[in-house]
């Protein structure tokens, strides 16, 4: 191990720490993920300092002898029942300082923390055919899920075709929407619909399950807002009052042109009625009307999630990169 690499666990994140983190992440992403927007300094600071949902975070900063940041690692430890066996890793090393042992040093600290916290599963995402993928494969991680990332160019779509899908009649259903926290009269129905995500394809990931209720739904919206982001939701509500499906879009702080797709789900009892495509087309219409600066939407789907991939392709999403989810089984004794 090179003696000049110094590893510091960050107990609290200062503005200087966040700037160092951003420096490493920006260099890493520019090298490994060309074309993918890098989070801005304010976004990085918010992600590192604001509370997370049903989890807490450990962070490490690696620096050289001259104090220059060369690597970072963040470990999210999930705490809710059904997921308290799980930890999620983000690890970046500046390309100019790779192959010197920095990544291995960070990973050793992370694995030790997983053992101390009694987490049996450590998951991490890496771009396909990237140095991150090779790093995982060389350190006993197993590939557990393949993801296809897609982009929708909002303003290149045929507006008339989008409106036709968005305004199509779906007897027995109506659309409703909100920004931020779900209205009180819909919160119970929304929480019930959220649980439909528990059957999404996760490959071989030991991902656990999430039990959504009104408190958790509201807490999620607060986490998004506290980071300076905006969450848009559209939902399909059945005549009996049940929420049949929903779609969510996250607008990162600073109004960048690329939005992020969050969940899209249709409750099993309401599948087969075209609600997923309806919801997504209606969201595009809403973005054009309310947020015309949004030019792209990025989403990802498991490569074996044939139905949702078909929905996205029908709307106009096109594949542009692939990632892999890797899992490390961590002995806790």
């Amino acid at each position: 191990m090179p003696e000049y690499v110094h590893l510091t666990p960050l107990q609290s994140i200062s503005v200087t720490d966040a700037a160092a983190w951003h420096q490493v992440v920006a260099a890493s992403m520019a090298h490994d993920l060309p074309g993918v927007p890098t989070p801005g300094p304010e976004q990085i600071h918010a992600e590192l300092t604001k509370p997370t949902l049903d989890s807490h975070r450990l962070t490490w900063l690696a620096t050289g002898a001259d104090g220059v940041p060369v690597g970072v690692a963040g470990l999210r430890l999930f705490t809710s029942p059904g997921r308290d066996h799980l930890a999620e890793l983000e690890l970046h090393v500046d390309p100019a300082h790779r192959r010197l042992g920095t990544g291995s040093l960070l990973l050793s600290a992370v694995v030790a923390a997983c053992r101390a916290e009694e987490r049996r599963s450590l998951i991490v995402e890496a771009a396909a055919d990237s140095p991150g993928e090779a790093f995982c494969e060389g350190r006993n991680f197993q590939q557990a899920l393949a993801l296809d990332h897609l982009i929708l160019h909002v303003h290149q779509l045929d507006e008339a075709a989008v409106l036709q899908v968005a305004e199509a009649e779906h007897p027995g259903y109506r659309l409703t929407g909100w920004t931020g926290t779900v209205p009180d009269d819909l919160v119970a129905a929304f929480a019930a619909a959220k649980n439909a995500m528990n059957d999404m394809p996760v490959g071989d990931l030991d991902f656990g399950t999430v039990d959504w209720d009104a408190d958790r739904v509201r807490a999620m919206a607060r986490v998004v807002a506290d980071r300076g982001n905006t969450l848009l939701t559209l939902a399909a509500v059945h005549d009996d009052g049940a929420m049949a499906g929903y779609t969510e879009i996250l607008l990162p702080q600073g109004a960048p042109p690329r939005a992020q797709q969050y969940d899209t789900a249709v409750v099993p009892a309401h599948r087969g009625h075209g609600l997923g495509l309806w919801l997504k087309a209606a969201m595009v219409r809403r973005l054009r009307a309310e947020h015309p600066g949004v030019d792209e939407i990025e989403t990802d789907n498991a490569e074996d999630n044939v139905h949702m991939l078909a929905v996205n392709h029908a709307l106009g999403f096109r594949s542009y990169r692939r990632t892999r989810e890797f899992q490390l089984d961590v002995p806790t004794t």
Side-chain angles (χ1 to χ4, degrees):
M1 185 63 57
E3 293 183 359
Y4 65 84
V5 177
H6 179 69
L7 196 62
T8 304
L10 301 177
Q11 303 302 323
S12 60
I13 307 295
S14 68
V15 173
T16 301
D17 293 333
W21 192 287
H22 177 262
Q23 179 181 325
V24 173
V25 170
S28 174
M29 290 184 63
H31 183 273
D32 297 341
L33 298 171
V36 178
T38 303
E42 297 83 3
Q43 188 174 351
I44 291 286
H45 185 266
E47 290 175 356
L48 292 173
T49 59
K50 299 299 182 180
T52 54
L53 181 62
D54 291 343
S55 61
H56 64 275
R57 179 189 291 270
L58 302 177
T59 53
W60 295 264
L61 174 65
T63 55
D66 53 2
V68 172
V70 298
V72 296
L75 183 66
R76 185 180 179 188
L77 298 160
F78 293 89
T79 57
S80 61
R83 301 188 81 188
D84 52 5
H85 65 283
L86 183 65
E88 186 175 44
L89 170 64
E90 177 186 5
L91 191 153
H92 295 274
V93 176
D94 187 312
H97 298 273
R98 290 178 180 173
R99 298 188 175 277
L100 298 173
T102 302
S104 295
L105 178 65
L106 288 164
L107 181 60
S108 293
V110 165
V111 171
C114 287
R115 289 197 178 103
E117 297 281 347
E118 298 185 338
R119 307 305 162 114
R120 70 170 184 262
S121 296
L122 175 64
I123 60 173
V124 64
E125 183 178 297
D129 304 317
S130 72
E133 182 177 68
F135 179 86
C136 291
E137 290 176 341
R139 288 159 180 82
N140 297 320
F141 283 82
Q142 300 298 313
Q143 182 180 315
L145 182 66
L147 296 170
D148 191 5
H149 291 249
L150 306 96
I151 287 286
L152 181 72
H153 296 283
V154 175
H155 296 294
Q156 294 179 15
L157 297 178
D158 183 328
E159 186 170 1
V162 172
L163 288 176
Q164 183 178 11
V165 177
E167 296 176 354
E169 292 292 328
H170 287 74
Y173 299 94
R174 63 179 176 85
L175 289 179
T176 188
W178 61 89
T179 299
T181 304
V182 58
D184 289 345
D185 62 327
L186 293 172
V187 67
F190 186 43
K194 272 279 191 181
N195 284 304
M197 289 298 293
N198 281 325
D199 70 355
M200 69 178 180
V202 294
D204 295 323
L205 285 176
D206 185 12
F207 205 66
T209 58
V210 177
D211 184 17
W212 289 92
D213 58 18
D215 289 341
R216 194 173 198 278
V217 164
R218 293 185 177 114
M220 182 200 71
R222 284 195 300 271
V223 166
V224 172
D226 286 347
R227 293 183 179 182
N229 302 324
T230 301
L231 187 64
L232 308 179
T233 308
L234 283 177
V237 180
H238 191 261
D239 287 345
D240 64 5
M243 193 170 290
Y246 66 93
T247 190
E248 299 169 319
I249 289 286
L250 181 130
L251 306 178
Q253 64 166 300
R258 182 176 295 184
Q260 297 293 325
Q261 178 77 62
Y262 264 29
D263 291 352
T264 297
V266 176
V267 175
H270 298 275
R271 292 172 184 170
H273 300 289
L275 300 184
L277 183 59
W278 185 36
L279 285 161
K280 283 178 168 279
M283 182 62 83
V284 169
R285 178 182 61 180
R286 179 178 176 184
L287 285 171
R288 279 176 159 169
E290 299 178 10
H291 301 277
V294 173
D295 189 52
E296 299 172 333
I297 302 172
E298 179 175 358
T299 190
D300 62 76
N301 300 118
E303 289 183 356
D304 59 355
N305 191 350
V306 177
H307 176 72
M308 189 53 68
L309 282 169
V311 169
N312 284 327
H313 288 148
L315 186 58
F317 280 90
R318 294 295 178 260
S319 300
Y320 88 110
R321 66 185 182 98
R322 297 170 299 127
T323 60
R324 302 288 181 255
E325 293 276 357
F326 288 90
Q327 181 171 293
L328 181 68
D329 295 329
V330 181
T332 56
T333 57

